Amino acid sequence: MTEQQRRRSVWGVLVLLAALGVLLVPAAASAHESLPTGVQRIELSLGERSLALTITAPPEGGGRMPVVVLARGEAVPGGVTLAAVRPGADASTGGPVPVPAAPVGQPHEVALTTDGPGAWEVTVSDGAQTARVPVTVAATTPTPGWVWAVRVGAVLGAVTLIAALAPAVRARPRLALALGGVALVAVTVAVTAAVAAPASTTGAPATATGTAPVPSGHAGHAGHGGAAMPPTPAAPATAPMSTTSSGAVVLSARTTSDARAGVPTDLVLDLTDGSSGAVVDDLTIHDEALIHLAVIGPDGQLSHLHPVRTAPGRYEVRMTAATGGRYGVFAEMERSGEGGHQVARTAFDVAGPAPAAAPAPGPGVRDVAGMRADVAVPDPVAGRPTQVSLTLDEGGAPVTNLQGWLGMAGHLMVLGPGTGGGPDPTDPASAFGHVHDMAPAGPTGTYGPRIAFDYTFPRAGRYALWLQVQRDLRIVTVPVTVDVAPESPAP
Ligand SMILES: [Cu+2]
C-alpha cells in the first residue's frame, strides 16, 4: 500500500466520522428532551372553600413541584397549608407550607418538594380537614441501549482513527489499516444504532404524571352508614384484594353529625367496587376533578361540589342543607382501569321541616345574579336531539365575560322523571345527565353571551335542568323546569 492509498483510506474514514457526528448529535440530544412536563388542574371543595389547584409535575426521579392555589366563590378568612407526603403520611411531615387562600381570585404559588419517584400526595389542609391529591412522580428512565451503542461506537471510532493517523503507526501500514478497519466498524455500529433508534424508542418513557391509582387493597374498609342505593346489584365478592376490577362503583354516603336543615355538615362518601367489594381508589382527574358531585335536595336545589379525597376510597365535602328531607347524591367519576366513566348514586336524610317543593320556572326570561337570563328549550321531544341555550345580558348589554369552569364554557345538569312522573333525585328511575358546552373561548379567553348544550331527553315527562356558568369567579346556577313530549302522540 502506497502512502497515497493510505491517506485516501484515512480520509475516507474521517469523512464518514464527520457525517456521523452531524447525523447523530441532534438525534441523541432530542432523545433526552422527553421529560414529563405534566400540569394538572384540580378543583377542591375543602370545608367552606372552593379551591383550584394547578400542580406541575416534578422532573423524573423527583424534585421541585410547583403548586398554584386559587380561591373562588365566597371569601373564607384564614389560609390553608400544603405539603407533599408519601401516601397516608401525616401532612405535618411534608414540610407544610402556609398559603393565604384569600382574597378570592388571587393565585398563590408554592414550591413543594418530592425527593424520589413513585406515589405521592399533595395535601391541602384547612386545620380541620386534609385533602389528599394523588400524584405520581416518574422514575428516571434508564439510558436506552442504542444510545450506548452510538456513544461507544463514536468514541471507539474517533480513538482508533486518531491512533491510525499517529506518525508512529503510519510507519507501519498493516497496523494503520487494521486500526482504520476498527474505526470503520465502530462508526458503522453507531450509525446503525442511530438509524434504528426511532423504532425502538417510540412511546418509551411511559411515566405520565398527575393522579394515578394508588394500590389500595383495603378490602372491607368501607363505611356502611347512610343510605346506600347501589345502581347495580352487587355480585358476590370474588377477589377482594383486586385493584383492577372493572365493576361499577357502589357509593355510600353518611354525614359526620346528625344532618339538620341550615346547619353545616360533612358528607362522607365511601367508594367500593360493586363486583369485588374492594375499596375504589383508582379515580383519575376528569374535567378537573376526581369526583363531580351533584347533591339535589327535595326543594330542587342543586349543589355541584368537588369532594376532597381524605383517604383511599374516601371523599368528604361540607354542605349546608337548606331544608329537611331526602337528598339525592350523584357522583360522576372516571376510573383509570376498565371501569371508565360512570355515575354512582345514593341518598341521605336531613332532619327538619321539608316544605313542598315549588318547581323552578320553565324556559323564558328570569333574573339571575344581577343578569337577565333567557333560557330556550325549543319543542323538546323524547328521543330527539334538542338544543338547550342560555343567553345572558346585564343592563341591556350582552354578558361576554363568562369564565371557563372545569375547562368548559358551561355545564348543564339534568334530572329526569321518576316513577311519579316528575324529577325525583332519590328515585333510581330518574335519569341523570351532565352536558358541557364545548365551544371555544372568545378572543379575550372568556365566553358569552350565549351558552348552548345539545341534549337528547331519553323519555317523556317533567325534567329539572340546572345551567351553570362562571362569572367573577362565582358559579351562577339557573334552574329550569322542562316538560318533554312523547316521541309520537299517544293513540
Ligand atoms: Cu364538577
Side-chain angles (χ1 to χ4, degrees), residues 133-334:
V133 182
V135 170
T136 299
V137 177
T140 315
T141 5
T143 306
W146 72 268
V147 172
W148 284 113
V150 171
R151 285 177 185 169
V152 171
V155 169
L156 189 64
V159 168
T160 47
L161 185 66
I162 289 164
L165 291 170
V169 176
R170 281 164 68 187
R172 299 168 61 190
R174 276 191 189 171
L175 182 60
L177 207 59
L179 285 171
V182 170
L184 197 64
V185 168
V187 166
T188 306
V189 166
V191 169
T192 309
V195 169
S200 63
T201 52
T202 39
T207 42
T209 51
T211 67
V214 176
S216 55
H218 300 279
H221 165 264
H224 297 282
M229 199 168 63
T232 51
T238 46
M241 294 304 283
S242 164
T243 57
T244 55
S245 174
S246 62
V249 172
V250 176
L251 177 70
S252 82
R254 61 184 165 88
T255 52
T256 52
S257 54
D258 287 341
R260 199 156 286 283
V263 180
T265 183
D266 286 327
L267 192 62
V268 181
L269 307 167
D270 284 309
L271 274 50
T272 49
D273 188 291
S275 50
S276 69
V279 164
V280 170
D281 200 34
D282 63 353
L283 302 191
T284 59
I285 294 176
H286 84 284
D287 297 341
E288 303 187 356
L290 287 164
I291 294 181
H292 296 264
L293 194 76
V295 180
I296 303 172
D299 56 351
Q301 292 276 345
L302 164 85
S303 301
H304 179 169
L305 303 163
H306 302 104
V308 297
R309 178 182 173 276
T310 55
R314 175 161 294 179
Y315 290 79
E316 296 183 28
V317 69
R318 185 159 306 160
M319 60 162 298
T320 304
T323 68
R326 197 159 172 79
Y327 283 67
V329 180
F330 303 82
E332 208 177 338
M333 62 201 121
E334 194 161 298

Side-chain angles (χ1 to χ4, degrees), residues 345 414-419 421-425 427 429-433 455 457-466:
R345 52 203 286 175
V414 181
L415 185 66
T419 43
D424 179 355
D427 182 353
S430 279
F432 175 81
Y455 185 68
F457 294 98
R459 58 193 182 98
R462 175 158 285 192
Y463 286 73
L465 272 58
W466 297 265

Side-chain angles (χ1 to χ4, degrees), residues 58-83:
E60 286 181 354
R64 194 172 173 276
M65 178 166 58
V67 180
V68 177
V69 182
L70 175 71
R72 72 166 93 251
E74 299 300 320
V76 177
V80 295
T81 51
L82 267 71

